Amino acid sequence: MSKLDSKIPAGPLKDKWENHKDHMNLVAPNNRDKIDIIVVGTGLAGGSAAATLAEQGYNVKAFCYQDSPRRAHSIAAQGGINAAKNYQGDGDSTYRLFYDTIKGGDYRAREANVYRLAEVSANIIDQCVSQGVPFGRDYGGQLDNRSFGGVQVKRTFYAKGQTGQQLLLGAYSSMSRQIGKGRIKMYNRHEMMELVIVDGKARGIIARNLVTGEIERHSAHAVVIASGGYGNVYFLSTNAMGSNVSAAWKIHKKGAYFANPCYVQIHPTCIPVHGTQQSKLTLMSESLRNSGRIWVPKKKEDSVAIREGKLRPENIKEEDRDYYLERRYPAFGNLVPRDVASRAGKERCDAGFGIENNDTKEGVYLDFSTEIIKKGKEAAIEKHIHNPTDQQIYDLGKAWIEEKYGNLFVMYEKITADDPYKTPMKIYPAVHYTMGGVWVDYNLQSTIPGCFVIGEANFSDHGANRLGASALMQGLADGYFVLPYTIADYLSADIRTGAIPTNSADFDKAEKEIKDKVDFFLNNKGTHSVDHFHKKLGHIMWNKVGMGRTPEGLKEAIAEIAQVKKEFWADVKVPGDADGMNTELEKAFRVADFIELGQLMAIDALHRNESCGGHFREDHATPEGEAERDDVNFKYVGAWEYQSDDITTEVLHKEDLIYENIEVKARSYK
């Protein structure tokens, strides 16, 4: 019998959440100030959770390693947030959002969690509008929607290309109100170093003040991890450079199972890598695929000429362009899901049609010329301009594009020095989001009692591939509308517990472990920087645990990462001291965790003998090159239990995925 108890409520799918809320234990308002809750991470998930819990009356301690919660990586989300409000009247519904999310995740997500996500999605928009989030609106003043990949309706609410930033400011304003009331104690520039477990329950954390270097003890009746994903295990990704897995990995090593670590999303519209010294990649929003068409030249000689600077893309005739997504997937075209679009782009570049003059010749075009002309002609008709000139059509079309996506075009031009209104954007897939994460039950609680995990840090809602605009939806759903109910059910037994003391043996032991590791890093007589090892790890991960995976490559990755780990602990050099700011020391802790996780990702990818979503095994592909699932043997969540420093000894637990409300079938976007 599996150790995993998902605690999915009984009853019809559409009634599970309401019935569950009706029968959960509560903490009375007059008892909530007797309860302390720690929230690690203040992005959309953590920020919304901290604000909501504090508003309910709990004492909240919120931690972020940034100088302000406003700097959380959630600000980087550009395109929008999904919600099943059906403002467009195009057939959307709670069930449709639920179905699209399950299908987009290649039937590898938990049915009950995804339906709940779709169910509460509409509440998120109302909440954020009331906070003043400036969503885009149509001519009549109603909230506007745009399309995203993997769906055939318009359900994505947006604020130009700054949706994540605006939503985060809404959550931050709610946090600030509670900080002003004293209900949230905010610990900026603090990093969680260890979870403290007392009598089998999560009762606090050890944190490091990143300004003074002081190691601090913080206790609580429950700990919420909202620290985001682990894309930076690849070194180059679209994540902020500080984004890391350490909080999630620390609790994994204390008993929280880590689920589906091999499920990594490769985003198709990233600005291509331009050199070996690059440290970060920049994403261009998926929303651009509403208006842009992706193509490469039909002739290899044209691709070569473009790479050599002898030919401009604008000069390639329409009949000589291969709009390969429209060719391969006519029903969805450029709006296929991210994993499908990414693999298709890789296939074209592997075949020699790449257009970027970098080391790997990898890059394709995202072209807006068709949309500029189309919208320009529409605008000319609206303005009663008869027989408009080509320049008038271009100017009107450009104005429409600028209104929808303007800041994204400015960002692209600043980075590349190309004008994307005239020259197609260059894009190529890159690591973006991670669907794997800490295993949680229906209540968002990990296998450690009292330790809850929300947002991208958990595994629960996206299966093997996340649909665009669903990350913001999940983070805010968890923080505003799910966790505040489920954590109360757990905390109802703690109203007489009293404050958790920090002068116990459990806190002593946890603090000593961290101080010992700090001493090791600062006194190790190594010769290589932390980044040296991070880049080595990233190279292995991208080449062997990236978009295309093989059994041979994964076995090599497991062995090679073990060697990187050995070299890291023997030869890493961390300058500076412990008593003050030391960014190299911060990175050393984080990269040590990335190395161990990277090995587990390869182990998980090797064990899963199928292709699904972002996990593409080249030995499990259809004749057309599409992912080939094995629903007989692998329709489950793979949750790993930590055993020792030797990651190869981790134990796999399986949570079977049961679909009672949808038909599991081959995913097709043709």
Side-chain angles (χ1 to χ4, degrees), residues 597-619:
L597 171 62
Q599 193 172 38
L600 184 61
M601 291 167 67
I603 292 168
D604 188 45
L606 181 62
H607 113 271
R608 189 168 282 276
N609 288 310
E610 64 165 351
S611 290
C612 57
H615 168 61
F616 188 73
R617 284 277 295 266
E618 294 177 5
D619 52 326

Side-chain angles (χ1 to χ4, degrees), residues 301-311 354-357 361:
E301 55 266 33
D302 285 347
S303 294
V304 172
I306 287 173
R307 293 198 298 261
E308 293 177 349
K310 299 175 181 177
L311 182 64
I355 51 79
E356 177 68 307
N357 188 28
K361 317 301 181 194

Side-chain angles (χ1 to χ4, degrees), residues 194-205 250-251 253-256 447-449 451 504-507 510:
E194 188 60 277
L195 179 72
V196 180
I197 297 177
V198 180
D199 296 329
K201 296 181 178 181
R203 291 302 200 188
I205 66 170
K250 299 302 186 193
I251 69 170
K253 295 177 79 167
K254 282 296 181 77
T447 44
I448 300 173
C451 183
S504 66
D506 298 294
F507 276 90

Side-chain angles (χ1 to χ4, degrees), residues 241-262:
M241 290 184 66
S243 297
N244 63 84
V245 75
S246 288
W249 194 249
K250 299 302 186 193
I251 69 170
H252 172 57
K253 295 177 79 167
K254 282 296 181 77
Y257 295 178
F258 208 100
N260 300 335
C262 75

Side-chain angles (χ1 to χ4, degrees), residues 77-237:
Q78 300 163 340
I81 177 171
N82 290 330
K85 280 187 168 291
N86 195 31
Y87 283 173
Q88 304 291 326
D90 56 2
D92 201 11
S93 65
T94 296
Y95 181 86
R96 179 74 64 180
L97 174 52
F98 155 70
Y99 176 80
D100 286 343
T101 305
I102 291 284
K103 178 184 176 183
D106 220 353
Y107 304 94
R108 291 294 180 264
R110 187 189 288 154
E111 195 178 63
N113 286 65
V114 177
Y115 191 87
R116 177 176 63 187
L117 174 66
E119 188 179 353
V120 305
S121 66
N123 297 339
I124 298 170
I125 305 304
D126 298 337
Q127 172 93 357
C128 295
V129 169
S130 70
Q131 292 172 339
V133 173
F135 286 119
R137 295 179 181 267
D138 64 18
Y139 179 79
Q142 300 298 310
L143 295 182
D144 197 15
N145 294 115
R146 55 172 51 141
S147 295
F148 258 62
V151 305
Q152 292 180 306
V153 298
K154 289 185 175 181
R155 67 162 65 102
T156 304
F157 296 78
Y158 64 91
K160 270 200 171 180
Q162 310 169 357
T163 313
Q165 182 179 32
Q166 298 303 325
L167 292 171
L168 186 64
L169 288 173
Y172 178 68
S173 67
S174 295
M175 283 187 70
S176 296
R177 182 167 177 266
Q178 299 305 320
I179 291 170
K181 288 176 172 290
R183 291 177 180 166
I184 293 179
K185 189 168 184 180
M186 189 67 229
Y187 292 88
N188 300 333
R189 300 295 293 158
H190 279 69
E191 185 161 23
M192 171 184 162
M193 307 301 288
E194 188 60 277
L195 179 72
V196 180
I197 297 177
V198 180
D199 296 329
K201 296 181 178 181
R203 291 302 200 188
I205 66 170
I206 304 298
R208 181 172 182 267
N209 184 320
L210 299 180
V211 177
T212 66
E214 183 180 358
I215 305 297
E216 302 174 0
R217 305 180 182 194
H218 297 275
S219 66
H221 297 90
V223 176
V224 179
I225 303 298
S227 53
Y230 49 90
N232 274 353
V233 71
Y234 289 85
F235 187 72
L236 281 179
S237 81

